[in-house]
PDB file of all heavy atoms in Angstrom:
ATOM      1  N   LEU E  75     -37.515 -21.189 -19.994  1.00 94.00           N
ATOM      2  CA  LEU E  75     -38.032 -21.060 -18.610  1.00 94.00           C
ATOM      3  C   LEU E  75     -38.470 -22.415 -18.142  1.00 94.00           C
ATOM      4  O   LEU E  75     -38.372 -22.760 -16.972  1.00 94.00           O
ATOM      5  CB  LEU E  75     -39.010 -19.976 -18.502  1.00 94.00           C
ATOM      6  CG  LEU E  75     -38.646 -18.501 -18.720  1.00 94.00           C
ATOM      7  CD1 LEU E  75     -39.891 -17.608 -18.711  1.00 94.00           C
ATOM      8  CD2 LEU E  75     -37.717 -18.133 -17.744  1.00 94.00           C
ATOM      9  N   MET E  76     -39.156 -23.168 -19.060  1.00 94.00           N
ATOM     10  CA  MET E  76     -39.746 -24.443 -18.712  1.00 94.00           C
ATOM     11  C   MET E  76     -38.653 -25.485 -18.332  1.00 94.00           C
ATOM     12  O   MET E  76     -38.900 -26.368 -17.564  1.00 94.00           O
ATOM     13  CB  MET E  76     -40.624 -25.081 -19.804  1.00 94.00           C
ATOM     14  CG  MET E  76     -41.921 -24.436 -20.043  1.00 94.00           C
ATOM     15  SD  MET E  76     -42.882 -25.140 -21.360  1.00 94.00           S
ATOM     16  CE  MET E  76     -43.097 -26.752 -20.826  1.00 94.00           C
ATOM     17  N   MET E  77     -37.433 -25.297 -18.845  1.00 92.00           N
ATOM     18  CA  MET E  77     -36.431 -26.218 -18.558  1.00 92.00           C
ATOM     19  C   MET E  77     -35.967 -26.171 -17.096  1.00 92.00           C
ATOM     20  O   MET E  77     -35.572 -27.245 -16.536  1.00 92.00           O
ATOM     21  CB  MET E  77     -35.139 -25.920 -19.394  1.00 92.00           C
ATOM     22  CG  MET E  77     -35.351 -26.242 -20.888  1.00 92.00           C
ATOM     23  SD  MET E  77     -33.984 -25.803 -21.895  1.00 92.00           S
ATOM     24  CE  MET E  77     -34.592 -26.211 -23.483  1.00 92.00           C
ATOM     25  N   ASP E  78     -36.309 -25.062 -16.331  1.00 93.00           N
ATOM     26  CA  ASP E  78     -36.064 -24.955 -14.958  1.00 93.00           C
ATOM     27  C   ASP E  78     -37.356 -25.081 -14.102  1.00 93.00           C
ATOM     28  O   ASP E  78     -37.251 -25.502 -12.958  1.00 93.00           O
ATOM     29  CB  ASP E  78     -35.414 -23.634 -14.598  1.00 93.00           C
ATOM     30  CG  ASP E  78     -34.069 -23.524 -15.126  1.00 93.00           C
ATOM     31  OD1 ASP E  78     -33.345 -24.482 -15.152  1.00 93.00           O
ATOM     32  OD2 ASP E  78     -33.619 -22.349 -15.494  1.00 93.00           O
ATOM     33  N   ASN E  79     -38.474 -24.742 -14.702  1.00 94.00           N
ATOM     34  CA  ASN E  79     -39.722 -24.834 -13.957  1.00 94.00           C
ATOM     35  C   ASN E  79     -40.822 -25.231 -14.987  1.00 94.00           C
ATOM     36  O   ASN E  79     -41.391 -24.401 -15.679  1.00 94.00           O
ATOM     37  CB  ASN E  79     -40.055 -23.446 -13.421  1.00 94.00           C
ATOM     38  CG  ASN E  79     -41.369 -23.447 -12.541  1.00 94.00           C
ATOM     39  OD1 ASN E  79     -42.278 -22.773 -12.963  1.00 94.00           O
ATOM     40  ND2 ASN E  79     -41.383 -24.171 -11.461  1.00 94.00           N
ATOM     41  N   PHE E  80     -41.049 -26.539 -15.049  1.00 95.00           N
ATOM     42  CA  PHE E  80     -42.082 -27.079 -15.993  1.00 95.00           C
ATOM     43  C   PHE E  80     -43.426 -26.933 -15.356  1.00 95.00           C
ATOM     44  O   PHE E  80     -44.082 -27.891 -14.888  1.00 95.00           O
ATOM     45  CB  PHE E  80     -41.771 -28.544 -16.156  1.00 95.00           C
ATOM     46  CG  PHE E  80     -42.405 -29.153 -17.441  1.00 95.00           C
ATOM     47  CD1 PHE E  80     -41.731 -29.082 -18.659  1.00 95.00           C
ATOM     48  CD2 PHE E  80     -43.555 -29.786 -17.443  1.00 95.00           C
ATOM     49  CE1 PHE E  80     -42.285 -29.554 -19.792  1.00 95.00           C
ATOM     50  CE2 PHE E  80     -44.189 -30.316 -18.495  1.00 95.00           C
ATOM     51  CZ  PHE E  80     -43.532 -30.244 -19.673  1.00 95.00           C
ATOM     52  N   SER E  81     -43.985 -25.714 -15.482  1.00 95.00           N
ATOM     53  CA  SER E  81     -45.319 -25.381 -14.844  1.00 95.00           C
ATOM     54  C   SER E  81     -46.404 -25.455 -15.863  1.00 95.00           C
ATOM     55  O   SER E  81     -46.202 -25.292 -17.119  1.00 95.00           O
ATOM     56  CB  SER E  81     -45.301 -24.070 -14.208  1.00 95.00           C
ATOM     57  OG  SER E  81     -45.229 -23.104 -15.158  1.00 95.00           O
ATOM     58  N   ARG E  82     -47.621 -25.621 -15.427  1.00 95.00           N
ATOM     59  CA  ARG E  82     -48.766 -25.723 -16.277  1.00 95.00           C
ATOM     60  C   ARG E  82     -48.980 -24.313 -16.926  1.00 95.00           C
ATOM     61  O   ARG E  82     -49.293 -24.300 -18.202  1.00 95.00           O
ATOM     62  CB  ARG E  82     -49.992 -26.130 -15.495  1.00 95.00           C
ATOM     63  CG  ARG E  82     -51.217 -26.179 -16.412  1.00 95.00           C
ATOM     64  CD  ARG E  82     -52.431 -26.772 -15.670  1.00 95.00           C
ATOM     65  NE  ARG E  82     -52.259 -28.094 -15.202  1.00 95.00           N
ATOM     66  CZ  ARG E  82     -52.361 -29.219 -15.935  1.00 95.00           C
ATOM     67  NH1 ARG E  82     -52.676 -29.101 -17.221  1.00 95.00           N
ATOM     68  NH2 ARG E  82     -52.219 -30.425 -15.364  1.00 95.00           N
ATOM     69  N   ARG E  83     -48.723 -23.286 -16.242  1.00 96.00           N
ATOM     70  CA  ARG E  83     -48.898 -21.878 -16.914  1.00 96.00           C
ATOM     71  C   ARG E  83     -48.011 -21.755 -18.056  1.00 96.00           C
ATOM     72  O   ARG E  83     -48.418 -21.274 -19.166  1.00 96.00           O
ATOM     73  CB  ARG E  83     -48.614 -20.887 -15.773  1.00 96.00           C
ATOM     74  CG  ARG E  83     -48.865 -19.443 -16.287  1.00 96.00           C
ATOM     75  CD  ARG E  83     -48.616 -18.442 -15.183  1.00 96.00           C
ATOM     76  NE  ARG E  83     -47.266 -18.160 -14.885  1.00 96.00           N
ATOM     77  CZ  ARG E  83     -46.554 -17.165 -15.307  1.00 96.00           C
ATOM     78  NH1 ARG E  83     -47.059 -16.266 -16.081  1.00 96.00           N
ATOM     79  NH2 ARG E  83     -45.319 -16.980 -15.060  1.00 96.00           N
ATOM     80  N   LYS E  84     -46.747 -22.191 -17.935  1.00 96.00           N
ATOM     81  CA  LYS E  84     -45.771 -22.031 -19.077  1.00 96.00           C
ATOM     82  C   LYS E  84     -46.148 -22.989 -20.153  1.00 96.00           C
ATOM     83  O   LYS E  84     -46.086 -22.710 -21.345  1.00 96.00           O
ATOM     84  CB  LYS E  84     -44.326 -22.277 -18.588  1.00 96.00           C
ATOM     85  CG  LYS E  84     -43.858 -21.219 -17.655  1.00 96.00           C
ATOM     86  CD  LYS E  84     -42.485 -21.586 -17.148  1.00 96.00           C
ATOM     87  CE  LYS E  84     -41.934 -20.585 -16.139  1.00 96.00           C
ATOM     88  NZ  LYS E  84     -42.518 -20.797 -14.823  1.00 96.00           N
ATOM     89  N   TYR E  85     -46.601 -24.192 -19.775  1.00 96.00           N
ATOM     90  CA  TYR E  85     -46.932 -25.186 -20.809  1.00 96.00           C
ATOM     91  C   TYR E  85     -48.202 -24.694 -21.626  1.00 96.00           C
ATOM     92  O   TYR E  85     -48.159 -24.729 -22.901  1.00 96.00           O
ATOM     93  CB  TYR E  85     -47.412 -26.507 -20.157  1.00 96.00           C
ATOM     94  CG  TYR E  85     -47.983 -27.472 -21.106  1.00 96.00           C
ATOM     95  CD1 TYR E  85     -47.344 -28.184 -22.047  1.00 96.00           C
ATOM     96  CD2 TYR E  85     -49.401 -27.764 -21.006  1.00 96.00           C
ATOM     97  CE1 TYR E  85     -47.827 -29.086 -22.908  1.00 96.00           C
ATOM     98  CE2 TYR E  85     -50.058 -28.618 -21.928  1.00 96.00           C
ATOM     99  CZ  TYR E  85     -49.199 -29.305 -22.922  1.00 96.00           C
ATOM    100  OH  TYR E  85     -49.827 -30.124 -23.724  1.00 96.00           O
ATOM    101  N   GLU E  86     -49.101 -24.060 -20.950  1.00 95.00           N
ATOM    102  CA  GLU E  86     -50.302 -23.562 -21.691  1.00 95.00           C
ATOM    103  C   GLU E  86     -49.852 -22.416 -22.631  1.00 95.00           C
ATOM    104  O   GLU E  86     -50.424 -22.202 -23.712  1.00 95.00           O
ATOM    105  CB  GLU E  86     -51.410 -23.182 -20.729  1.00 95.00           C
ATOM    106  CG  GLU E  86     -52.017 -24.455 -20.093  1.00 95.00           C
ATOM    107  CD  GLU E  86     -52.992 -24.050 -18.949  1.00 95.00           C
ATOM    108  OE1 GLU E  86     -53.106 -22.888 -18.489  1.00 95.00           O
ATOM    109  OE2 GLU E  86     -53.621 -25.003 -18.458  1.00 95.00           O
ATOM    110  N   ALA E  87     -48.959 -21.475 -22.134  1.00 95.00           N
ATOM    111  CA  ALA E  87     -48.515 -20.406 -23.017  1.00 95.00           C
ATOM    112  C   ALA E  87     -47.771 -20.956 -24.219  1.00 95.00           C
ATOM    113  O   ALA E  87     -47.916 -20.459 -25.329  1.00 95.00           O
ATOM    114  CB  ALA E  87     -47.623 -19.522 -22.120  1.00 95.00           C
ATOM    115  N   VAL E  88     -46.914 -21.974 -24.023  1.00 95.00           N
ATOM    116  CA  VAL E  88     -46.201 -22.602 -25.131  1.00 95.00           C
ATOM    117  C   VAL E  88     -47.130 -23.190 -26.169  1.00 95.00           C
ATOM    118  O   VAL E  88     -46.995 -23.046 -27.387  1.00 95.00           O
ATOM    119  CB  VAL E  88     -45.167 -23.665 -24.583  1.00 95.00           C
ATOM    120  CG1 VAL E  88     -44.680 -24.544 -25.731  1.00 95.00           C
ATOM    121  CG2 VAL E  88     -44.011 -22.936 -23.918  1.00 95.00           C
ATOM    122  N   ILE E  89     -48.206 -23.901 -25.639  1.00 95.00           N
ATOM    123  CA  ILE E  89     -49.154 -24.478 -26.538  1.00 95.00           C
ATOM    124  C   ILE E  89     -49.946 -23.418 -27.303  1.00 95.00           C
ATOM    125  O   ILE E  89     -50.151 -23.481 -28.522  1.00 95.00           O
ATOM    126  CB  ILE E  89     -50.110 -25.403 -25.784  1.00 95.00           C
ATOM    127  CG1 ILE E  89     -49.358 -26.609 -25.203  1.00 95.00           C
ATOM    128  CG2 ILE E  89     -51.292 -25.832 -26.666  1.00 95.00           C
ATOM    129  CD1 ILE E  89     -48.680 -27.470 -26.223  1.00 95.00           C
ATOM    130  N   GLU E  90     -50.335 -22.358 -26.608  1.00 94.00           N
ATOM    131  CA  GLU E  90     -51.016 -21.223 -27.222  1.00 94.00           C
ATOM    132  C   GLU E  90     -50.218 -20.548 -28.268  1.00 94.00           C
ATOM    133  O   GLU E  90     -50.720 -20.359 -29.407  1.00 94.00           O
ATOM    134  CB  GLU E  90     -51.398 -20.239 -26.059  1.00 94.00           C
ATOM    135  CG  GLU E  90     -52.294 -19.021 -26.628  1.00 94.00           C
ATOM    136  CD  GLU E  90     -52.587 -18.107 -25.503  1.00 94.00           C
ATOM    137  OE1 GLU E  90     -52.764 -18.507 -24.337  1.00 94.00           O
ATOM    138  OE2 GLU E  90     -52.513 -16.823 -25.760  1.00 94.00           O
ATOM    139  N   ILE E  91     -49.026 -20.303 -27.995  1.00 93.00           N
ATOM    140  CA  ILE E  91     -48.142 -19.649 -29.034  1.00 93.00           C
ATOM    141  C   ILE E  91     -47.725 -20.630 -30.155  1.00 93.00           C
ATOM    142  O   ILE E  91     -47.824 -20.255 -31.304  1.00 93.00           O
ATOM    143  CB  ILE E  91     -46.885 -19.038 -28.311  1.00 93.00           C
ATOM    144  CG1 ILE E  91     -47.167 -17.900 -27.375  1.00 93.00           C
ATOM    145  CG2 ILE E  91     -45.873 -18.505 -29.407  1.00 93.00           C
ATOM    146  CD1 ILE E  91     -46.056 -17.531 -26.473  1.00 93.00           C
ATOM    147  N   GLY E  92     -47.336 -21.837 -29.750  1.00 92.00           N
ATOM    148  CA  GLY E  92     -46.952 -22.814 -30.756  1.00 92.00           C
ATOM    149  C   GLY E  92     -48.068 -23.157 -31.739  1.00 92.00           C
ATOM    150  O   GLY E  92     -47.769 -23.417 -32.911  1.00 92.00           O
ATOM    151  N   SER E  93     -49.271 -23.179 -31.260  1.00 91.00           N
ATOM    152  CA  SER E  93     -50.414 -23.503 -32.089  1.00 91.00           C
ATOM    153  C   SER E  93     -50.554 -22.505 -33.255  1.00 91.00           C
ATOM    154  O   SER E  93     -51.086 -22.868 -34.378  1.00 91.00           O
ATOM    155  CB  SER E  93     -51.714 -23.624 -31.350  1.00 91.00           C
ATOM    156  OG  SER E  93     -51.553 -24.716 -30.380  1.00 91.00           O
ATOM    157  N   VAL E  94     -50.128 -21.277 -33.020  1.00 91.00           N
ATOM    158  CA  VAL E  94     -50.243 -20.247 -33.982  1.00 91.00           C
ATOM    159  C   VAL E  94     -49.051 -20.272 -34.937  1.00 91.00           C
ATOM    160  O   VAL E  94     -49.155 -20.165 -36.104  1.00 91.00           O
ATOM    161  CB  VAL E  94     -50.453 -18.873 -33.286  1.00 91.00           C
ATOM    162  CG1 VAL E  94     -50.315 -17.756 -34.321  1.00 91.00           C
ATOM    163  CG2 VAL E  94     -51.713 -18.841 -32.499  1.00 91.00           C
ATOM    164  N   ILE E  95     -47.824 -20.260 -34.345  1.00 90.00           N
ATOM    165  CA  ILE E  95     -46.622 -20.120 -35.220  1.00 90.00           C
ATOM    166  C   ILE E  95     -46.238 -21.374 -35.954  1.00 90.00           C
ATOM    167  O   ILE E  95     -45.543 -21.354 -36.853  1.00 90.00           O
ATOM    168  CB  ILE E  95     -45.491 -19.470 -34.420  1.00 90.00           C
ATOM    169  CG1 ILE E  95     -45.008 -20.398 -33.299  1.00 90.00           C
ATOM    170  CG2 ILE E  95     -45.751 -18.122 -33.954  1.00 90.00           C
ATOM    171  CD1 ILE E  95     -43.665 -19.934 -32.700  1.00 90.00           C
ATOM    172  N   PHE E  96     -46.687 -22.540 -35.374  1.00 87.00           N
ATOM    173  CA  PHE E  96     -46.381 -23.830 -36.166  1.00 87.00           C
ATOM    174  C   PHE E  96     -47.611 -24.369 -36.663  1.00 87.00           C
ATOM    175  O   PHE E  96     -48.286 -25.325 -36.061  1.00 87.00           O
ATOM    176  CB  PHE E  96     -45.709 -24.825 -35.136  1.00 87.00           C
ATOM    177  CG  PHE E  96     -44.469 -24.399 -34.502  1.00 87.00           C
ATOM    178  CD1 PHE E  96     -44.379 -24.202 -33.110  1.00 87.00           C
ATOM    179  CD2 PHE E  96     -43.386 -24.026 -35.271  1.00 87.00           C
ATOM    180  CE1 PHE E  96     -43.246 -23.761 -32.532  1.00 87.00           C
ATOM    181  CE2 PHE E  96     -42.154 -23.632 -34.609  1.00 87.00           C
ATOM    182  CZ  PHE E  96     -42.127 -23.451 -33.287  1.00 87.00           C
ATOM    183  N   ALA E  97     -47.967 -23.921 -37.887  1.00 69.00           N
ATOM    184  CA  ALA E  97     -49.253 -24.380 -38.465  1.00 69.00           C
ATOM    185  C   ALA E  97     -49.110 -25.883 -38.912  1.00 69.00           C
ATOM    186  O   ALA E  97     -49.878 -26.769 -38.535  1.00 69.00           O
ATOM    187  CB  ALA E  97     -49.640 -23.553 -39.656  1.00 69.00           C
ATOM    188  N   ASP E  98     -48.013 -26.167 -39.657  1.00 53.00           N
ATOM    189  CA  ASP E  98     -47.811 -27.599 -40.151  1.00 53.00           C
ATOM    190  C   ASP E  98     -46.424 -27.943 -39.791  1.00 53.00           C
ATOM    191  O   ASP E  98     -45.552 -28.272 -40.673  1.00 53.00           O
ATOM    192  CB  ASP E  98     -48.015 -27.688 -41.720  1.00 53.00           C
ATOM    193  CG  ASP E  98     -49.494 -27.344 -41.972  1.00 53.00           C
ATOM    194  OD1 ASP E  98     -50.393 -27.899 -41.319  1.00 53.00           O
ATOM    195  OD2 ASP E  98     -49.683 -26.701 -43.036  1.00 53.00           O
ATOM    196  N   GLN E  99     -46.126 -28.100 -38.511  1.00 48.00           N
ATOM    197  CA  GLN E  99     -44.796 -28.515 -38.032  1.00 48.00           C
ATOM    198  C   GLN E  99     -43.712 -27.695 -38.638  1.00 48.00           C
ATOM    199  O   GLN E  99     -43.098 -28.111 -39.628  1.00 48.00           O
ATOM    200  CB  GLN E  99     -44.582 -30.030 -38.303  1.00 48.00           C
ATOM    201  CG  GLN E  99     -45.281 -30.853 -37.223  1.00 48.00           C
ATOM    202  CD  GLN E  99     -44.686 -30.627 -35.817  1.00 48.00           C
ATOM    203  OE1 GLN E  99     -43.505 -30.462 -35.582  1.00 48.00           O
ATOM    204  NE2 GLN E  99     -45.554 -30.542 -34.905  1.00 48.00           N
ATOM    205  N   GLY E 100     -43.331 -26.682 -38.136  1.00 41.00           N
ATOM    206  CA  GLY E 100     -42.172 -25.861 -38.592  1.00 41.00           C
ATOM    207  C   GLY E 100     -42.432 -24.726 -39.502  1.00 41.00           C
ATOM    208  O   GLY E 100     -41.594 -23.960 -39.855  1.00 41.00           O
ATOM    209  N   VAL E 101     -43.730 -24.630 -39.931  1.00 38.00           N
ATOM    210  CA  VAL E 101     -44.054 -23.469 -40.842  1.00 38.00           C
ATOM    211  C   VAL E 101     -44.567 -22.343 -39.979  1.00 38.00           C
ATOM    212  O   VAL E 101     -45.529 -22.472 -39.220  1.00 38.00           O
ATOM    213  CB  VAL E 101     -45.117 -23.933 -41.907  1.00 38.00           C
ATOM    214  CG1 VAL E 101     -45.608 -22.745 -42.668  1.00 38.00           C
ATOM    215  CG2 VAL E 101     -44.643 -25.108 -42.649  1.00 38.00           C
ATOM    216  N   GLU E 102     -43.838 -21.254 -40.004  1.00 38.00           N
ATOM    217  CA  GLU E 102     -44.240 -20.122 -39.143  1.00 38.00           C
ATOM    218  C   GLU E 102     -45.375 -19.305 -39.875  1.00 38.00           C
ATOM    219  O   GLU E 102     -45.425 -19.172 -41.019  1.00 38.00           O
ATOM    220  CB  GLU E 102     -43.102 -19.152 -38.957  1.00 38.00           C
ATOM    221  CG  GLU E 102     -41.966 -19.709 -38.209  1.00 38.00           C
ATOM    222  CD  GLU E 102     -40.840 -18.710 -38.113  1.00 38.00           C
ATOM    223  OE1 GLU E 102     -41.101 -17.537 -37.872  1.00 38.00           O
ATOM    224  OE2 GLU E 102     -39.674 -19.077 -38.310  1.00 38.00           O
ATOM    225  N   LYS E 103     -46.295 -18.855 -39.005  1.00 40.00           N
ATOM    226  CA  LYS E 103     -47.317 -17.966 -39.518  1.00 40.00           C
ATOM    227  C   LYS E 103     -47.232 -16.638 -38.771  1.00 40.00           C
ATOM    228  O   LYS E 103     -48.054 -16.295 -37.988  1.00 40.00           O
ATOM    229  CB  LYS E 103     -48.690 -18.588 -39.354  1.00 40.00           C
ATOM    230  CG  LYS E 103     -48.957 -19.660 -40.246  1.00 40.00           C
ATOM    231  CD  LYS E 103     -50.411 -20.013 -40.329  1.00 40.00           C
ATOM    232  CE  LYS E 103     -50.725 -20.928 -41.385  1.00 40.00           C
ATOM    233  NZ  LYS E 103     -52.143 -21.179 -41.488  1.00 40.00           N
TER     234      LYS E 103
END
Side-chain angles (χ1 to χ4, degrees):
L75 294 173
M76 284 178 66
M77 291 179 184
D78 292 325
N79 180 248
F80 197 88
S81 70
R82 182 171 299 279
R83 181 176 77 100
K84 290 180 187 77
Y85 170 74
E86 289 171 354
V88 164
I89 295 301
E90 182 182 324
I91 294 169
S93 297
V94 172
I95 63 173
F96 302 118
D98 295 318
Q99 280 298 316
V101 178
E102 294 180 44
K103 286 196 171 182

